[in-house]
Amino acid sequence: MELVNGSWFQPPTLLLTGIPGLEAVQIWISIPLCVMYLTALLGNCIILFVIKTTSSLHEPQYIFLSMLATTDVGLSLSTLPTVLRVFLLNRREIEFHSCLTQMFFIHTFSSMESAILLAMAFDRFVAICNPLHNTVVLTSPRIIGMGIAAMVRGVMLMVPLPILLKKLSFCEDVILSHCYCYHPDVMKLACGPIRINIIYGLSLVLYSFRVDSVLIVISYILILKTVLGIASEDGQLKALNTCVSHIFTVCIFYVPLIVLALIHRFGTFTSPVLHVAMANLFLFLTPVLNPLVYSLKTKQIRSVIHKVFKGRGNLL
Protein backbone atom coordinates (compact mmCIF):
# COMPACT_ATOMS: atom_id res chain seq x y z
CA MET A 1 0.00 0.00 0.00
CA GLU A 2 1.56 3.27 -1.14
CA LEU A 3 0.62 6.35 0.90
CA VAL A 4 0.61 9.89 -0.47
CA ASN A 5 0.43 12.80 1.99
CA GLY A 6 -0.47 10.27 4.65
CA SER A 7 -4.00 9.66 3.37
CA TRP A 8 -4.04 8.92 -0.36
CA PHE A 9 -3.11 5.51 -1.73
CA GLN A 10 -3.91 2.81 -4.26
CA PRO A 11 -5.93 0.35 -2.19
CA PRO A 12 -4.97 -3.34 -2.29
CA THR A 13 -8.67 -4.26 -2.05
CA LEU A 14 -12.06 -2.64 -2.51
CA LEU A 15 -15.33 -3.50 -0.79
CA LEU A 16 -18.37 -4.45 -2.84
CA THR A 17 -21.92 -3.79 -1.63
CA GLY A 18 -24.96 -6.04 -1.68
CA ILE A 19 -28.32 -4.55 -0.72
CA PRO A 20 -27.98 -1.93 2.05
CA GLY A 21 -30.06 -2.82 5.10
CA LEU A 22 -30.74 -6.39 3.95
CA GLU A 23 -27.38 -7.96 4.80
CA ALA A 24 -29.04 -10.54 7.07
CA VAL A 25 -31.15 -12.01 4.27
CA GLN A 26 -28.65 -11.75 1.42
CA ILE A 27 -28.11 -15.50 1.43
CA TRP A 28 -31.80 -15.95 0.59
CA ILE A 29 -31.56 -13.31 -2.13
CA SER A 30 -28.73 -15.37 -3.63
CA ILE A 31 -31.22 -18.14 -4.50
CA PRO A 32 -33.15 -16.16 -7.15
CA LEU A 33 -29.84 -14.69 -8.33
CA CYS A 34 -28.48 -18.20 -8.91
CA VAL A 35 -31.66 -19.09 -10.78
CA MET A 36 -31.27 -15.99 -12.96
CA TYR A 37 -27.63 -16.78 -13.72
CA LEU A 38 -28.55 -20.37 -14.59
CA THR A 39 -31.38 -19.13 -16.81
CA ALA A 40 -29.10 -16.64 -18.57
CA LEU A 41 -26.26 -19.09 -19.18
CA LEU A 42 -28.42 -22.09 -20.07
CA GLY A 43 -30.85 -20.07 -22.20
CA ASN A 44 -28.16 -18.37 -24.25
CA CYS A 45 -26.20 -21.60 -24.68
CA ILE A 46 -29.38 -23.29 -25.97
CA ILE A 47 -29.83 -20.44 -28.47
CA LEU A 48 -26.23 -20.89 -29.64
CA PHE A 49 -26.64 -24.67 -29.91
CA VAL A 50 -29.90 -24.43 -31.86
CA ILE A 51 -28.54 -21.88 -34.33
CA LYS A 52 -25.27 -23.78 -34.84
CA THR A 53 -26.92 -27.16 -35.44
CA THR A 54 -29.84 -25.95 -37.60
CA SER A 55 -28.85 -25.06 -41.16
CA SER A 56 -32.14 -23.23 -41.81
CA LEU A 57 -31.17 -20.72 -39.11
CA HIS A 58 -27.87 -19.79 -40.78
CA GLU A 59 -29.33 -16.47 -41.86
CA PRO A 60 -28.22 -12.91 -40.97
CA GLN A 61 -30.94 -12.42 -38.35
CA TYR A 62 -29.97 -15.56 -36.43
CA ILE A 63 -26.23 -15.12 -36.86
CA PHE A 64 -26.56 -11.71 -35.20
CA LEU A 65 -28.71 -13.35 -32.51
CA SER A 66 -25.92 -15.86 -31.84
CA MET A 67 -23.50 -12.94 -31.45
CA LEU A 68 -25.91 -11.35 -28.98
CA ALA A 69 -26.18 -14.60 -27.03
CA THR A 70 -22.39 -14.94 -26.90
CA THR A 71 -22.10 -11.39 -25.56
CA ASP A 72 -24.76 -12.11 -22.93
CA VAL A 73 -22.85 -15.19 -21.79
CA GLY A 74 -19.67 -13.12 -21.52
CA LEU A 75 -21.44 -10.39 -19.55
CA SER A 76 -22.96 -12.94 -17.16
CA LEU A 77 -19.63 -14.68 -16.57
CA SER A 78 -17.94 -11.32 -15.95
CA THR A 79 -20.18 -10.53 -12.99
CA LEU A 80 -21.00 -13.99 -11.64
CA PRO A 81 -17.95 -14.42 -9.32
CA THR A 82 -18.41 -11.20 -7.35
CA VAL A 83 -22.22 -11.19 -7.26
CA LEU A 84 -22.42 -14.71 -5.85
CA ARG A 85 -19.52 -14.08 -3.44
CA VAL A 86 -21.30 -11.04 -2.01
CA PHE A 87 -24.79 -12.53 -1.73
CA LEU A 88 -24.01 -16.21 -1.14
CA LEU A 89 -20.80 -16.05 0.93
CA ASN A 90 -20.99 -12.47 2.22
CA ARG A 91 -17.40 -11.89 1.03
CA ARG A 92 -17.19 -8.28 -0.10
CA GLU A 93 -13.46 -7.88 -0.75
CA ILE A 94 -12.11 -7.70 -4.27
CA GLU A 95 -8.47 -7.13 -5.18
CA PHE A 96 -7.94 -3.75 -6.86
CA HIS A 97 -6.52 -5.09 -10.13
CA SER A 98 -9.19 -7.81 -10.24
CA CYS A 99 -11.76 -5.05 -9.90
CA LEU A 100 -10.26 -3.17 -12.84
CA THR A 101 -10.23 -6.37 -14.90
CA GLN A 102 -13.87 -7.09 -14.15
CA MET A 103 -14.78 -3.48 -14.93
CA PHE A 104 -13.02 -3.74 -18.30
CA PHE A 105 -14.93 -6.88 -19.32
CA ILE A 106 -18.30 -5.56 -18.13
CA HIS A 107 -17.94 -2.33 -20.12
CA THR A 108 -16.45 -4.14 -23.14
CA PHE A 109 -19.29 -6.66 -23.37
CA SER A 110 -21.83 -3.85 -22.85
CA SER A 111 -20.30 -1.88 -25.73
CA MET A 112 -20.27 -5.01 -27.90
CA GLU A 113 -23.92 -5.67 -27.10
CA SER A 114 -24.85 -2.13 -28.09
CA ALA A 115 -23.03 -2.52 -31.42
CA ILE A 116 -24.67 -5.88 -32.10
CA LEU A 117 -28.11 -4.43 -31.38
CA LEU A 118 -27.32 -1.75 -33.97
CA ALA A 119 -26.27 -4.43 -36.47
CA MET A 120 -29.53 -6.29 -35.80
CA ALA A 121 -31.48 -3.07 -36.43
CA PHE A 122 -29.65 -2.69 -39.75
CA ASP A 123 -30.55 -6.30 -40.58
CA ARG A 124 -34.24 -5.56 -39.92
CA PHE A 125 -33.98 -2.39 -42.02
CA VAL A 126 -32.52 -4.25 -45.00
CA ALA A 127 -34.94 -7.19 -44.64
CA ILE A 128 -38.02 -4.94 -44.63
CA CYS A 129 -36.98 -1.98 -46.78
CA ASN A 130 -34.90 -3.92 -49.35
CA PRO A 131 -35.91 -7.58 -49.00
CA LEU A 132 -34.61 -8.57 -52.44
CA HIS A 133 -31.11 -7.33 -51.57
CA ASN A 134 -30.94 -8.83 -48.08
CA THR A 135 -28.64 -11.74 -48.96
CA VAL A 136 -26.57 -9.52 -51.26
CA VAL A 137 -26.00 -6.77 -48.67
CA LEU A 138 -25.56 -9.00 -45.61
CA THR A 139 -23.17 -11.64 -46.87
CA SER A 140 -21.35 -13.97 -44.47
CA PRO A 141 -18.01 -12.08 -44.70
CA ARG A 142 -19.77 -8.78 -43.99
CA ILE A 143 -21.65 -10.23 -41.03
CA ILE A 144 -18.43 -11.66 -39.60
CA GLY A 145 -16.72 -8.31 -40.22
CA MET A 146 -19.48 -6.49 -38.32
CA GLY A 147 -19.07 -8.88 -35.39
CA ILE A 148 -15.29 -8.39 -35.36
CA ALA A 149 -15.75 -4.62 -35.60
CA ALA A 150 -18.09 -4.68 -32.58
CA MET A 151 -15.50 -6.63 -30.58
CA VAL A 152 -12.55 -4.47 -31.64
CA ARG A 153 -14.46 -1.26 -30.92
CA GLY A 154 -15.44 -2.50 -27.47
CA VAL A 155 -11.89 -3.52 -26.56
CA MET A 156 -10.21 -0.40 -27.96
CA LEU A 157 -12.64 2.00 -26.29
CA MET A 158 -12.50 0.32 -22.88
CA VAL A 159 -8.73 -0.36 -22.60
CA PRO A 160 -8.00 3.22 -21.38
CA LEU A 161 -10.50 2.93 -18.49
CA PRO A 162 -8.38 0.74 -16.14
CA ILE A 163 -5.19 2.52 -17.27
CA LEU A 164 -6.59 5.93 -16.30
CA LEU A 165 -7.92 4.60 -12.97
CA LYS A 166 -4.53 3.11 -12.07
CA LYS A 167 -3.01 6.59 -12.27
CA LEU A 168 -5.39 7.98 -9.65
CA SER A 169 -4.85 8.27 -5.91
CA PHE A 170 -7.67 6.93 -3.75
CA CYS A 171 -9.02 7.94 -0.37
CA GLU A 172 -9.32 5.62 2.59
CA ASP A 173 -13.02 5.03 1.81
CA VAL A 174 -12.93 2.03 -0.53
CA ILE A 175 -16.60 0.98 -0.44
CA LEU A 176 -18.26 0.58 -3.84
CA SER A 177 -21.99 1.02 -4.43
CA HIS A 178 -22.56 -2.23 -6.34
CA CYS A 179 -21.77 -5.93 -6.16
CA TYR A 180 -19.49 -5.58 -9.20
CA CYS A 181 -16.98 -3.01 -10.42
CA TYR A 182 -18.45 -0.22 -12.52
CA HIS A 183 -16.30 2.62 -13.88
CA PRO A 184 -18.23 5.64 -12.46
CA ASP A 185 -18.45 3.86 -9.12
CA VAL A 186 -14.71 3.19 -8.86
CA MET A 187 -13.85 6.65 -10.18
CA LYS A 188 -15.80 8.35 -7.37
CA LEU A 189 -13.48 6.81 -4.77
CA ALA A 190 -10.53 8.84 -6.07
CA CYS A 191 -9.25 11.78 -4.05
CA GLY A 192 -7.26 13.36 -6.86
CA PRO A 193 -8.54 15.18 -9.96
CA ILE A 194 -10.70 12.98 -12.19
CA ARG A 195 -11.49 15.43 -14.96
CA ILE A 196 -9.77 13.31 -17.62
CA ASN A 197 -11.67 10.23 -16.47
CA ILE A 198 -14.99 12.10 -16.58
CA ILE A 199 -14.31 13.50 -20.06
CA TYR A 200 -13.25 10.12 -21.42
CA GLY A 201 -16.20 8.36 -19.80
CA LEU A 202 -18.59 10.91 -21.31
CA SER A 203 -16.89 10.51 -24.70
CA LEU A 204 -17.45 6.76 -24.50
CA VAL A 205 -21.15 7.22 -23.82
CA LEU A 206 -21.52 9.70 -26.67
CA TYR A 207 -19.42 7.77 -29.18
CA SER A 208 -20.73 4.28 -28.53
CA PHE A 209 -24.04 3.99 -26.70
CA ARG A 210 -25.60 7.29 -27.80
CA VAL A 211 -24.53 6.95 -31.45
CA ASP A 212 -25.76 3.35 -31.51
CA SER A 213 -29.12 4.23 -29.97
CA VAL A 214 -29.66 7.18 -32.34
CA LEU A 215 -28.88 5.01 -35.39
CA ILE A 216 -31.25 2.32 -34.09
CA VAL A 217 -34.03 4.90 -33.77
CA ILE A 218 -33.34 6.19 -37.30
CA SER A 219 -33.45 2.60 -38.61
CA TYR A 220 -36.88 2.06 -37.09
CA ILE A 221 -38.18 5.38 -38.37
CA LEU A 222 -37.25 4.26 -41.89
CA ILE A 223 -38.72 0.80 -41.21
CA LEU A 224 -41.98 2.33 -39.98
CA LYS A 225 -42.13 4.56 -43.07
CA THR A 226 -41.75 1.49 -45.30
CA VAL A 227 -44.29 -0.54 -43.33
CA LEU A 228 -46.91 2.22 -43.55
CA GLY A 229 -46.46 2.09 -47.32
CA ILE A 230 -47.55 -1.57 -47.43
CA ALA A 231 -51.07 -1.81 -48.82
CA SER A 232 -52.49 -4.65 -46.70
CA GLU A 233 -52.89 -4.49 -42.95
CA ASP A 234 -51.80 -8.11 -42.65
CA GLY A 235 -48.58 -7.27 -44.47
CA GLN A 236 -47.93 -4.37 -42.12
CA LEU A 237 -48.48 -6.54 -39.04
CA LYS A 238 -46.30 -9.33 -40.45
CA ALA A 239 -43.44 -6.90 -41.12
CA LEU A 240 -43.68 -5.29 -37.69
CA ASN A 241 -43.93 -8.67 -35.99
CA THR A 242 -40.41 -9.53 -37.18
CA CYS A 243 -39.12 -6.50 -35.22
CA VAL A 244 -40.92 -7.03 -31.90
CA SER A 245 -38.22 -9.19 -30.28
CA HIS A 246 -35.46 -6.78 -31.26
CA ILE A 247 -37.39 -3.70 -30.09
CA PHE A 248 -38.02 -5.36 -26.73
CA THR A 249 -34.34 -6.30 -26.42
CA VAL A 250 -33.25 -2.74 -27.22
CA CYS A 251 -35.59 -1.38 -24.52
CA ILE A 252 -34.45 -3.76 -21.79
CA PHE A 253 -30.81 -2.98 -22.61
CA TYR A 254 -30.89 0.81 -22.93
CA VAL A 255 -33.51 1.80 -20.32
CA PRO A 256 -31.66 0.37 -17.26
CA LEU A 257 -28.36 1.65 -18.72
CA ILE A 258 -29.73 5.20 -19.04
CA VAL A 259 -31.31 5.13 -15.58
CA LEU A 260 -28.09 3.78 -14.02
CA ALA A 261 -26.09 6.56 -15.69
CA LEU A 262 -28.54 9.17 -14.37
CA ILE A 263 -28.33 7.67 -10.88
CA HIS A 264 -24.55 8.05 -10.90
CA ARG A 265 -24.91 11.60 -12.21
CA PHE A 266 -27.54 12.66 -9.65
CA GLY A 267 -26.81 10.01 -7.03
CA THR A 268 -27.24 12.28 -4.00
CA PHE A 269 -30.98 12.46 -4.67
CA THR A 270 -31.62 8.72 -4.86
CA SER A 271 -31.69 5.93 -2.28
CA PRO A 272 -28.95 3.25 -2.09
CA VAL A 273 -31.58 0.56 -2.71
CA LEU A 274 -32.45 2.20 -6.05
CA HIS A 275 -28.73 2.18 -6.93
CA VAL A 276 -28.53 -1.57 -6.33
CA ALA A 277 -31.86 -2.34 -8.00
CA MET A 278 -30.98 -0.56 -11.25
CA ALA A 279 -27.43 -1.95 -11.23
CA ASN A 280 -28.77 -5.49 -11.00
CA LEU A 281 -31.46 -4.83 -13.61
CA PHE A 282 -28.73 -3.64 -15.96
CA LEU A 283 -26.85 -6.88 -15.34
CA PHE A 284 -29.64 -9.43 -15.43
CA LEU A 285 -32.47 -8.16 -17.63
CA THR A 286 -30.81 -8.55 -21.01
CA PRO A 287 -28.98 -11.90 -20.52
CA VAL A 288 -32.01 -13.49 -18.82
CA LEU A 289 -34.81 -12.17 -21.03
CA ASN A 290 -33.14 -12.24 -24.45
CA PRO A 291 -33.22 -16.04 -24.88
CA LEU A 292 -36.74 -16.20 -23.43
CA VAL A 293 -38.04 -13.47 -25.74
CA TYR A 294 -36.46 -14.90 -28.89
CA SER A 295 -37.44 -18.47 -28.00
CA LEU A 296 -41.07 -17.54 -27.41
CA LYS A 297 -41.45 -14.96 -30.17
CA THR A 298 -39.43 -16.50 -33.01
CA LYS A 299 -41.33 -19.40 -34.53
CA GLN A 300 -38.28 -21.01 -36.17
CA ILE A 301 -36.28 -21.15 -32.92
CA ARG A 302 -39.30 -22.25 -30.91
CA SER A 303 -40.06 -25.13 -33.25
CA VAL A 304 -36.44 -26.35 -33.31
CA ILE A 305 -36.19 -26.25 -29.49
CA HIS A 306 -39.48 -28.14 -29.28
CA LYS A 307 -38.20 -30.82 -31.67
CA VAL A 308 -34.92 -31.20 -29.77
CA PHE A 309 -36.58 -31.66 -26.39
CA LYS A 310 -39.34 -33.85 -27.85
CA GLY A 311 -36.74 -36.10 -29.46
CA ARG A 312 -34.81 -36.45 -26.22
CA GLY A 313 -38.04 -37.14 -24.36
CA ASN A 314 -38.84 -39.99 -26.71
CA LEU A 315 -35.35 -41.43 -26.15
CA LEU A 316 -35.94 -41.43 -22.42
Side-chain angles (χ1 to χ4, degrees):
M1 182 184 301
E2 186 177 338
L3 296 177
V4 181
N5 294 332
S7 59
W8 294 5
F9 65 100
Q10 186 179 95
T13 59
L14 301 175
L15 293 179
L16 301 166
T17 299
I19 301 180
L22 298 178
E23 290 81 3
V25 296
Q26 282 186 166
I27 190 171
W28 298 108
I29 298 174
S30 67
I31 296 176
L33 288 178
C34 289
V35 173
M36 293 176 74
Y37 269 117
L38 183 63
T39 302
L41 295 173
L42 185 61
N44 284 291
C45 286
I46 289 176
I47 292 289
L48 289 171
F49 173 77
V50 168
I51 294 175
K52 180 177 174 58
T53 57
T54 309
S55 58
S56 61
L57 298 181
H58 294 173
E59 300 177 1
Q61 177 182 2
Y62 303 110
I63 295 174
F64 285 128
L65 177 58
S66 67
M67 293 180 185
L68 186 69
T70 302
T71 305
D72 284 336
V73 170
L75 185 60
S76 298
L77 293 177
S78 298
T79 59
L80 186 148
T82 56
V83 173
L84 293 188
R85 279 183 62 195
V86 170
F87 285 94
L88 189 61
L89 304 176
N90 197 28
R91 295 179 59 184
R92 300 173 55 196
E93 301 84 3
I94 181 171
E95 198 267 331
F96 181 73
H97 292 94
S98 298
C99 181
L100 297 184
T101 302
Q102 183 189 52
M103 180 199 71
F104 167 76
F105 280 109
I106 289 175
H107 287 282
T108 298
F109 282 119
S110 298
S111 176
M112 289 171 58
E113 182 138 353
S114 179
I116 292 170
L117 289 175
L118 173 59
M120 296 175 78
F122 178 70
D123 167 65
R124 292 297 84 211
F125 166 76
V126 174
I128 293 174
C129 299
N130 298 284
L132 297 179
H133 298 87
N134 190 23
T135 55
V136 177
V137 174
L138 291 173
T139 60
S140 295
R142 286 178 181 173
I143 294 173
I144 294 172
M146 293 168 74
I148 294 174
M151 181 179 64
V152 171
R153 187 193 74 164
V155 172
M156 296 300 293
L157 288 178
M158 301 308 164
V159 160
L161 291 182
I163 295 175
L164 291 173
L165 286 175
K166 284 191 68 175
K167 295 181 178 181
L168 296 177
S169 296
F170 289 81
C171 303
E172 294 182 358
D173 182 9
V174 292
I175 301 177
L176 298 169
S177 303
H178 308 307
C179 51
Y180 58 90
C181 294
Y182 189 61
H183 177 254
D185 200 21
V186 179
M187 182 178 63
K188 287 181 179 179
L189 299 180
C191 288
I194 57 173
R195 184 177 180 180
I196 296 178
N197 300 74
I198 294 175
I199 293 174
Y200 187 75
L202 180 61
S203 300
L204 285 181
V205 173
L206 294 176
Y207 177 70
S208 57
F209 298 107
R210 185 170 181 177
V211 170
D212 291 348
S213 60
V214 169
L215 292 176
I216 290 173
V217 171
I218 292 174
S219 297
Y220 274 104
I221 290 175
L222 296 175
I223 288 173
L224 185 60
K225 182 180 178 181
T226 301
V227 170
L228 293 177
I230 298 176
S232 67
E233 185 177 343
D234 289 341
Q236 292 178 349
L237 293 176
K238 185 178 179 181
L240 289 175
N241 191 51
T242 63
C243 303
V244 171
S245 298
H246 180 254
I247 293 174
F248 185 78
T249 300
V250 169
C251 291
I252 62 177
F253 176 78
Y254 280 106
V255 171
L257 183 63
I258 293 171
V259 174
L260 186 60
L262 291 175
I263 286 175
H264 278 280
R265 177 65 181 85
F266 306 102
T268 54
F269 303 101
T270 57
S271 68
V273 175
L274 182 60
H275 275 242
V276 175
M278 293 312 304
N280 289 329
L281 281 177
F282 168 64
L283 279 182
F284 293 121
L285 267 185
T286 306
V288 171
L289 293 183
N290 276 353
L292 297 178
V293 169
Y294 278 96
S295 298
L296 294 174
K297 193 62 182 174
T298 307
K299 182 180 179 180
Q300 293 90 330
I301 295 178
R302 187 172 65 248
S303 61
V304 172
I305 292 176
H306 178 72
K307 289 179 181 178
V308 170
F309 282 99
K310 185 179 179 181
R312 293 192 175 186
N314 293 335
L315 290 175
L316 294 175

